[in-house]
Amino acid sequence: MLSQPLQIRFLEKRRYTIYLSIFLVLSTFLSVLLHGGLNYGIDFRGGTNVQIRFDSEPDLNQLRDLFASQGYDSITLQTFGAEEDREILLGLPIDSSLGTGESLTTNLQKILQNANTQPEIRRIETIGPKVGDELKEDALLAVLIALGLVLLYISVRFQWRFGISAVVCLLHDVLAVVGVFSLFDKEFNLTIIAALLTVVGYSLNDTIVVFDRVRENLAKFRKRETEELLDLSINETLSRTLLTSATTLFVVIMLLLFGGEIIHDFAFALFVGILVGTYSSIYVASPIFLMLQEKAPPKPATPSNTELTQESQ
Amino acid sequence: MNVRVKGLLILLVFAVAVFYSLPTYQAYQPGVDPQQHPNRVNLGLDLQGGMYLDIEIKVEEAVKETVSRTAQELEDLLLDNYVKFVEVRQENNIIILEMEKGETVNLTESPYDRLLVQFTPTDQPNNRTTLTLLPEELTRIQENAITQALEVLRNRIDSLGVSEPTLQRQGDNSIIIQLPGLKDRSQAIELIGPQAVLEFRIVNDDATPAAYNRYTEVVRYEEIRDPITQEVLSRNPYVLSKEVLLTGEYIRDARVRFDQQTNQPYVSLSFDSIGADRFAKLTERNQGKRLAIVLDDKVQSAPVIREKIGGGEASISGQFTTEEAGNLSIVLRSGSLPAPIEIREERTVGASLGEDSVEQGLTSLLLGGLLVLIFMMIYYRLAGVFAAFALVFNLLLIIAVLGGVGATLTLPGMAGIVLTTGMAVDANVLIFQRIREELAKSNNLRSSINEGFDRAFKTILDANVTTLFAALALLQFGTGPIKGFAVTLSLGILSSMFTAIVVTRFFFEMIYLNRKQLKAISI
């Protein structure tokens, strides 16, 4: 693919890509605002989800009427998975009279008797209101602590400019994926949080590989301009970045295609995340590092606390 | 290290990995009972079907109950000792004792100190004293409630016939119940749900629910249900004496029987000797009156006592189905919960959905892995073959460790493995790209390989350790799917570092570096 290192002037384009990134992040906020918050799943909101498979294709409108006629108006119904799966996902609010543990299955079976199809209840999830809040807090805490540790680790192993650039880059990626989810109004649940964290891990991996090369080159070529060095480092690691993204995308695309409906949104988040993560390790992390470096007067030729010294070739 | 020694060590690790992955492979062959293979990877409830419940024990109810019983006992004691008092009343968890002017009672002395309690110094008017539970008494009640609840629930769950149920305490007042492979969700909920407090009280047919003596009587309802839909059609009020004559705690056994005439199922109880004695006495004293059988504050039936009943047998009839009667008998046999419970979280997955998930997960894992392998072998030729072997080794290691410690694999955990597979290649890509870079700079093949490994190693370490940090944070602070995902991710990072760096390097050493003359390398 790339046997000779390319000499693309990546950083030159930062004047444009910075607008792209700002646009991405702003549209996330705008979309969340316009949608009145994220579309939280029952993990965070509380309530009940029931996944039901029918022996013939279910008619959603007929089912809706059926539930409404029994006085259950506040339910949501949607098809789940591929058409040939003949499945629906039934959502109930926390206080639904159907939603109490003891009688839920019997009640459902009673109502569905009147539909001309045999239902099989495949999955039931009920989350109490208190639990939802706890899960939300726990998830947020886990993400923040993970990010804090990353910042600390990179700042110690590299230097603080790398740490800040990497964390800003990660936040950028997380926000972008959240934005895509909000834009498509996809459900935001615990599994998606796990996906976001994977994106963080992946993007971090990418960024560190580039930064590692930057650090090495900073020590090797003391006299050159930082911008030039950054471009050189990105070019040198570019084929690796593209190769790894490609192989990881292979697996994620397989998950998207064959992983089944439950894992579909998870794989979708990873898919978007890998694309954004690859972009951001080039166009977000390095420009921010450059900005921090240029602002620091007078420019130190060698990073103060790197472990690398000039290496002989 | 000598290449031969290294090779032997790697072979050893490989053999151990195969040995520990074998039980997992064997356990999930069709027609095999997985339990015969203890060192297998357990499948999570989302993969094999089953039920996960997070239930809260309402310990504050147990405390309230104790305080109320204590107030009752205090009142009785004051009466027995001819102390004149205005009232003994309970407000939340405080007992307020108001005595007549001039009356004194030393509550620090026996028998009162047995009952309670700590005094909050009284600056109250009208000779009033307030009493609260001692803090250690409070903790004891709460702790007891949880331990007792665990025991009672375990008894009930045993009757479900689930192969490996787990009950675990979580936090101050929660119990996590996991029932893998559960078939009947409704039955599980019916068994776990009720507090099952059984009481026998006498009915006062002269009083009406509108006018009854609040000091000695209570009103409880009987629910009349539609026999088919089980809908509550109406609620029948009963005025009952406040005094509980007998409770379910003296039940020795409970069985389902059928009425000879109507063929209706009912639950027949047999009491232990104390219970039988009390039952005989209460039926002797209250002939002609009605005896209400109250379960969890709902009147089940209220038959008229015709004669003294010895032998310690009683029965609960109602509009039960056979299953309901069966569940009720199990619940009564295992005893009552010390406090009511609330289901905070339920996740039930049907067995067929679990099977589908495993199949889909495996399919995408195999397809994705295969694509990666083929790509690597085409792009890096022989070096790609090394990487491919390292990748398979990596998967084997993950399964071996998961199986060795008997860890549970969930759907997000599976996704974690799939992702590790994708990312594990990264380490090899980093190494191979470095070697190619070095080769472009110099013609010395040997030093190019060494340089490539050494330089890539630093990068791999930085990248993987950073990700590992994040994964460990998730493991520590995450819940449910986040945790399952973090387990396989951290494991994957560790094993992929080993296979990508040690194993791949070994191949290079064996094939190339060991030679005297090195002309070309295939990368």
Side-chain angles (χ1 to χ4, degrees):
Chain A
M1 198 193 294
L2 309 161
S3 47
Q4 288 295 313
L6 293 168
Q7 293 188 341
I8 305 173
R9 308 277 312 268
F10 287 105
L11 272 274
E12 209 180 57
K13 284 150 202 112
R14 69 176 184 278
R15 284 161 195 93
Y16 309 107
T17 54
I18 198 154
Y19 288 114
L20 178 63
S21 291
I22 290 174
F23 171 76
L24 272 178
V25 172
L26 278 185
S27 29
T28 296
F29 284 115
L30 199 68
S31 167
V32 172
L33 210 69
L34 287 178
H35 281 92
L38 288 168
N39 178 11
Y40 284 122
I42 57 154
D43 284 341
F44 298 135
R45 198 187 57 219
T48 300
N49 272 350
V50 190
Q51 186 184 335
I52 308 168
R53 169 173 278 182
F54 294 95
D55 59 0
S56 63
E57 203 173 308
D59 180 345
L60 281 190
N61 284 326
Q62 188 207 330
L63 285 172
R64 270 191 201 105
D65 291 344
L66 197 62
F67 278 98
S69 70
Q70 307 270 339
Y72 302 112
D73 293 321
S74 50
I75 57 148
T76 58
L77 284 177
Q78 62 189 88
T79 50
F80 194 69
E83 207 169 279
E84 63 265 24
D85 287 345
R86 306 178 309 272
E87 289 187 357
I88 61 160
L89 193 66
L90 181 92
L92 302 165
I94 291 173
D95 50 2
S96 163
S97 44
L98 265 176
T100 49
E102 199 152 341
S103 49
L104 181 58
T105 355
T106 13
N107 277 340
L108 274 177
Q109 260 150 2
K110 213 164 40 201
I111 293 169
L112 291 171
Q113 267 169 7
N114 302 320
N116 304 318
T117 170
Q118 264 305 310
E120 175 204 341
I121 294 180
R122 304 199 89 197
R123 179 169 59 111
I124 293 180
E125 290 176 331
T126 300
I127 314 283
K130 257 189 282 172
V131 179
D133 284 339
E134 276 171 32
L135 288 178
K136 212 188 289 181
E137 273 170 36
D138 287 351
L140 194 67
L141 191 73
V143 177
L144 288 180
I145 289 176
L147 280 179
L149 274 178
V150 166
L151 178 66
L152 197 73
Y153 180 78
I154 302 179
S155 300
V156 171
R157 276 286 287 161
F158 291 64
Q159 46 162 304
W160 65 271
R161 290 186 191 87
F162 287 108
I164 290 182
S165 315
V167 168
V168 171
C169 173
L170 295 183
L171 283 174
H172 168 272
D173 297 349
V174 169
L175 284 175
V177 179
V178 170
V180 173
F181 263 67
S182 166
L183 215 59
F184 287 101
D185 212 25
K186 279 185 175 290
E187 201 179 273
F188 207 79
N189 53 35
L190 265 183
T191 324
I192 299 307
I193 298 278
L196 277 182
L197 293 163
T198 318
V199 169
V200 167
Y202 181 83
S203 163
L204 186 65
N205 194 62
D206 243 15
T207 309
I208 298 270
V209 170
V210 175
F211 279 1
D212 220 65
R213 194 56 80 99
V214 174
R215 182 173 63 174
E216 191 183 319
N217 284 336
L218 274 174
K220 204 154 81 182
F221 310 104
R222 288 160 189 256
K223 299 252 162 63
R224 289 218 221 163
E225 284 293 319
T226 313
E227 182 172 342
E228 205 182 324
L229 279 181
L230 286 170
D231 271 336
L232 177 71
S233 310
I234 296 173
N235 275 307
E236 280 177 350
T237 50
L238 188 64
S239 46
R240 174 263 148 205
T241 304
L242 296 179
L243 277 172
T244 300
S245 296
T247 48
T248 314
L249 277 179
F250 283 164
V251 186
V252 170
I253 289 171
M254 289 303 120
L255 272 183
L256 258 177
L257 292 179
F258 306 106
E261 188 60 26
I262 292 179
I263 212 134
H264 189 271
D265 283 357
F266 179 88
F268 178 71
L270 289 189
F271 183 76
V272 177
I274 288 169
L275 292 182
V276 177
T278 308
Y279 155 83
S280 71
S281 60
I282 297 173
Y283 287 110
V284 178
S286 298
I288 289 177
F289 177 76
L290 183 63
M291 228 167 63
L292 292 173
Q293 189 85 326
E294 278 171 348
K295 273 199 174 165
K299 193 182 84 183
T302 330
S304 52
N305 56 346
T306 87
E307 292 167 7
L308 288 174
T309 50
Q310 175 128 22
E311 284 178 62
S312 57
Q313 295 197 20
Chain B
M1 203 190 289
N2 187 312
V3 177
R4 247 178 237 152
V5 177
K6 211 183 210 175
L8 276 176
L9 278 179
I10 290 174
L11 208 64
L12 189 74
V13 176
F14 187 74
V16 171
V18 170
F19 179 76
Y20 276 102
S21 329
L22 220 53
T24 303
Y25 174 77
Q26 289 166 335
Y28 296 108
Q29 291 303 311
V32 174
D33 176 13
Q35 271 179 275
Q36 293 171 341
H37 301 277
N39 283 328
R40 69 185 185 278
V41 178
N42 280 311
L43 293 184
L45 296 181
D46 51 350
L47 291 180
Q48 65 164 311
M51 178 185 254
Y52 168 100
L53 286 176
D54 176 349
I55 61 178
E56 181 185 347
I57 315 288
K58 302 262 174 205
V59 283
E60 69 278 4
E61 295 290 329
V63 174
K64 206 187 276 172
E65 174 68 32
T66 312
V67 173
S68 132
R69 213 172 38 234
T70 311
Q72 189 63 48
E73 282 180 47
L74 180 62
E75 193 174 319
D76 291 347
L77 269 163
L78 292 173
L79 286 171
D80 290 350
N81 289 282
Y82 307 107
V83 179
K84 287 182 185 140
F85 62 94
V86 183
E87 65 170 342
V88 179
R89 145 176 122 242
Q90 179 190 359
E91 262 174 30
N92 295 321
N93 289 332
I94 296 166
I95 299 171
I96 296 167
L97 164 62
E98 201 174 313
M99 277 176 292
E100 287 189 1
K101 282 223 167 69
E103 278 283 345
T104 52
V105 55
N106 186 355
L107 289 163
T108 53
E109 266 172 29
S110 180
Y112 305 107
D113 67 336
R114 186 185 57 82
L115 283 168
L116 292 170
V117 188
Q118 199 182 36
F119 311 108
T120 46
T122 167
D123 51 349
Q124 310 258 22
N126 300 337
N127 205 4
R128 189 186 283 179
T129 313
T130 51
L131 310 125
T132 58
L133 284 176
L134 288 165
E136 56 261 37
E137 182 69 5
L138 195 71
T139 4
R140 198 188 58 83
I141 295 167
Q142 289 168 337
E143 281 302 308
N144 269 1
I146 300 282
T147 2
Q148 216 179 331
L150 266 170
E151 197 182 302
V152 170
L153 288 173
R154 201 181 305 275
N155 284 336
R156 293 185 188 177
I157 282 166
D158 276 346
S159 62
L160 275 169
V162 171
S163 60
E164 285 182 317
T166 56
L167 283 94
Q168 244 176 325
R169 183 176 174 173
Q170 183 189 267
D172 285 343
N173 54 5
S174 267
I175 293 177
I176 303 282
I177 301 178
Q178 295 192 62
L179 306 169
L182 176 88
K183 293 278 179 328
D184 189 347
R185 170 186 179 271
S186 320
Q187 198 201 4
I189 299 263
E190 247 176 70
L191 284 186
I192 292 167
Q195 191 182 357
V197 175
L198 186 68
E199 294 167 341
F200 294 83
R201 298 175 193 245
I202 295 300
V203 181
N204 182 359
D205 277 317
D206 299 332
T208 63
Y212 66 95
N213 184 345
R214 275 160 220 283
Y215 295 101
T216 58
E217 290 163 350
V218 289
V219 178
R220 294 285 181 265
Y221 296 86
E222 177 186 20
E223 288 179 349
I224 309 293
R225 287 168 186 277
D226 185 303
I228 297 157
T229 65
Q230 290 296 308
E231 246 172 297
V232 179
L233 299 176
S234 63
R235 297 168 80 230
N236 253 350
Y238 284 82
V239 177
L240 309 175
S241 76
K242 216 170 203 175
E243 191 187 1
V244 177
L245 297 173
L246 186 59
T247 64
E249 116 190 58
Y250 302 104
I251 292 172
R252 196 184 58 211
D253 199 8
R255 296 266 160 234
V256 181
R257 296 248 163 79
F258 291 90
D259 187 303
Q260 302 277 316
Q261 272 125 41
T262 62
N263 214 20
Q264 272 279 319
Y266 66 92
V267 177
S268 120
L269 304 173
S270 58
F271 295 107
D272 60 16
S273 57
I274 301 173
D277 193 40
R278 289 199 187 175
F279 195 61
K281 272 190 195 137
L282 87 88
T283 46
E284 184 178 23
R285 276 190 212 138
N286 293 292
Q287 282 176 40
K289 291 182 187 163
R290 289 207 288 162
L291 178 68
I293 302 167
V294 188
L295 181 68
D296 285 342
D297 281 343
K298 282 180 202 146
V299 177
Q300 296 296 316
S301 58
V304 177
I305 303 171
R306 306 238 175 261
E307 59 202 337
K308 171 184 173 180
I309 305 172
E313 295 270 340
S315 67
I316 305 174
S317 55
Q319 300 160 309
F320 305 127
T321 63
T322 311
E323 290 82 26
E324 282 172 344
N327 291 339
L328 180 58
S329 71
I330 292 170
V331 162
L332 289 174
R333 269 205 304 273
S334 11
S336 62
L337 289 172
I341 61 160
E342 187 188 304
I343 298 181
R344 283 157 40 102
E345 187 179 346
E346 181 201 336
R347 293 177 196 267
T348 302
V349 171
S352 67
L353 179 63
E355 266 168 42
D356 286 359
S357 300
V358 173
E359 208 183 290
Q360 288 163 340
L362 279 181
T363 311
S364 41
L365 183 73
L366 283 177
L367 284 175
L370 216 60
L371 263 177
V372 172
L373 294 189
I374 292 171
F375 178 81
M376 289 295 279
M377 288 193 273
I378 291 176
Y379 193 74
Y380 288 117
R381 282 166 289 181
L382 186 58
V385 177
F386 301 163
F389 179 77
L391 194 62
V392 175
F393 197 166
N394 179 28
L395 272 180
L396 218 54
L397 263 180
I398 297 177
I399 293 171
V401 176
L402 285 179
V405 300
T408 301
L409 183 66
T410 59
L411 203 59
M414 218 156 175
I417 294 185
V418 173
L419 192 86
T420 323
T421 318
M423 283 172 68
V425 185
D426 184 52
N428 276 319
V429 170
L430 276 167
I431 295 168
F432 297 167
Q433 286 304 117
R434 265 292 168 139
I435 295 180
R436 281 186 175 188
E437 252 180 75
E438 298 297 326
L439 283 174
K441 273 192 279 190
S442 82
N443 283 325
N444 188 336
L445 302 181
R446 213 175 290 271
S447 80
S448 293
I449 293 176
N450 283 326
E451 278 288 297
F453 268 99
D454 288 346
R455 288 174 173 238
F457 178 73
K458 291 191 184 90
T459 315
I460 295 169
L461 198 67
D462 273 331
N464 281 295
V465 171
T466 321
T467 312
L468 192 62
F469 261 97
L472 290 179
L474 300 185
L475 200 59
Q476 184 62 37
F477 300 101
T479 40
I482 294 183
K483 216 173 197 141
F485 173 75
V487 170
T488 50
L489 184 64
S490 1
L491 212 65
I493 290 171
L494 291 177
S495 76
S496 75
M497 273 170 73
F498 168 74
T499 54
I501 296 167
V502 180
V503 177
T504 317
R505 181 165 203 158
F506 166 74
F507 283 125
F508 272 94
E509 283 175 359
M510 193 178 64
I511 307 267
Y512 297 123
L513 298 179
N514 244 8
R515 287 190 194 167
K516 293 225 167 68
Q517 281 262 304
L518 192 55
K519 286 215 176 99
I521 58 174
S522 166
I523 191 164

